[in-house]
Amino acid sequence: MCLMHRKAWPPYLAGIAIGLLQIPTFLLMNTALGASSSFVTVAAHIAAFFDPGIATMKYFASHMYGAKNWWQVAVVVGIAIGAFISMRLSGARRQTISPVWERAMGVRSLGARAPIAFAAGFIMLFGARIAGGCTSGHGISGMAQLSVGSTLAVAAMFAGGILTAMLMKRA
């Protein structure tokens, strides 16, 4: 079966593909793979539409312009488009609401799930900005650069995920 029509790629092939993407990212854009900065770029432009003074703030100004910032936005958009194309090519179908939501949160509808997912995503993004990078930035790029901070961040993410799973299983 053609790789593009499979429901899932073998993890080692997906890992190799992501790892090889590091090379042109560093060589052409002088930056690492990641996603959280793209949200700052988009948010800064939206905020600047309402208050042009935003562009004078150092944090926002550093994320508003330049190929590096728009590259990350393109990566996030590409992930969404790629996931959609992959789903269509593989014929994969899934439920709108995963059964996990009902078991863990007692949620059955998209209307109840969406605000919870949005709040959780916001908290994760806020944490990513405080940590100086997102899970993909630390886990893929930071560890590829042998960064001690990224290795500790990934270990903390796994520990937090395991602890959360254990607590959710008890509930």
Side-chain angles (χ1 to χ4, degrees), residues 34-108:
S36 64
S37 293
S38 64
F39 296 99
V40 179
T41 299
V42 172
H45 281 281
I46 291 170
F49 178 77
F50 296 102
D51 180 7
I54 292 289
T56 63
M57 295 178 172
K58 184 179 176 186
Y59 178 75
F60 291 117
S62 69
H63 287 86
M64 288 182 75
Y65 306 105
K68 176 186 148 191
N69 295 317
W70 289 106
W71 160 252
Q72 288 194 355
V73 173
V75 167
V76 171
V77 170
I79 289 169
I81 293 170
F84 178 77
I85 292 170
S86 173
M87 182 263 315
R88 299 298 288 183
L89 287 175
S90 71
R93 298 288 180 263
R94 58 178 248 201
Q95 299 172 344
T96 303
I97 304 295
S98 171
V100 171
W101 279 90
E102 186 174 353
R103 284 195 310 270
M105 305 290 291
V107 173
R108 292 185 181 176

